[in-house]
Amino acid sequence: MRIVFDIDGTIACGFFDDSLDKIKRHNAWVNEFEMRGLLIHALKWHIILPGFIELIKWLDQHGIRFDFFSSGIKERNEILVAELLKLALGENRYLEIAPLVKILSRDDLTNYSSDRVVKDLRKVLESSDSLENIVLIDDALSYAHPDQTKNLLLM
């Protein structure tokens, strides 16, 4: 079993303002996320949705592989996932699993038609994997490959 997580709107939400003070002034609830350690800076500020840290810990403890596929830019995705995994699993465990975790980004989307790009889960497959054993957890149906909707868990 392998789980592929979308990022934006699924496991994290980003802010457009670069100033954390300004974000907090307009969104007092962000203070709670900061106190809980669920605020990460990855080119811009992001909150990690409640429960996701615990889910990553559980998946890791049970040997379930996980990857990330976001239409965000590669640099942001790599920073965010690294910080998220360090937060969830600690620095040492992160360093152990980092080479195994795939982080796919905007450049990895597949042109499906002239006006549509999709997340093709075959891009996370390894030789021993089967598409039937992969689940994409995403908040947007529009990015699901039409031939892989049975792999989609829509949030």
Side-chain angles (χ1 to χ4, degrees):
M1 171 61 74
R2 174 181 242 137
I3 299 177
V4 180
F5 292 100
D6 171 49
I7 294 177
D8 298 293
T10 302
I11 66 167
C13 294
F15 293 94
F16 293 105
D17 203 312
D18 287 334
S19 165
L20 183 56
D21 289 334
K22 192 172 182 182
I23 291 168
K24 289 181 187 178
R25 222 178 4 256
H26 292 91
N27 306 281
W29 53 270
V30 171
N31 290 308
E32 177 68 25
F33 283 82
E34 184 177 34
M35 287 187 307
R36 293 173 64 188
L38 298 175
L39 191 61
I40 293 176
H41 192 269
L43 303 183
K44 62 180 183 174
W45 288 102
H46 296 78
I47 58 165
I48 304 303
L49 297 179
F52 190 70
I53 297 296
E54 294 79 4
L55 177 58
I56 287 295
K57 287 178 183 177
W58 187 90
L59 292 172
D60 185 55
Q61 290 167 355
H62 290 84
I64 299 172
R65 297 277 310 268
F66 50 85
D67 300 299
F68 298 85
F69 201 153
S70 168
S71 63
I73 63 171
K74 181 179 180 141
E75 182 183 12
R76 187 286 309 248
N77 291 348
E78 289 177 347
I79 294 168
L80 186 85
V81 169
E83 293 304 311
L84 173 73
L85 294 179
K86 289 176 196 174
L87 182 63
L89 305 174
E91 182 82 24
N92 290 338
R93 181 65 180 144
Y94 163 71
L95 292 173
E96 287 176 35
I97 69 167
L100 305 173
V101 176
K102 294 182 180 163
I103 305 170
L104 296 152
S105 303
R106 181 177 298 163
D107 293 339
D108 299 301
L109 293 169
T110 299
N111 289 319
Y112 184 75
S113 64
S114 62
D115 63 343
R116 184 171 177 207
V117 292
V118 296
K119 297 175 182 177
D120 187 347
L121 296 176
R122 291 176 292 196
K123 292 188 177 187
V124 300
L125 286 177
E126 293 178 8
S127 59
S128 62
D129 287 336
S130 167
L131 198 56
E132 290 78 33
N133 295 324
I134 296 180
V135 175
L136 171 65
I137 299 178
D138 205 322
D139 67 319
L141 179 61
S142 61
Y143 282 110
H145 191 291
D147 296 335
Q148 300 168 6
T149 55
K150 66 179 185 274
N151 300 81
L152 176 66
L153 175 61
L154 195 59
M155 302 273 302

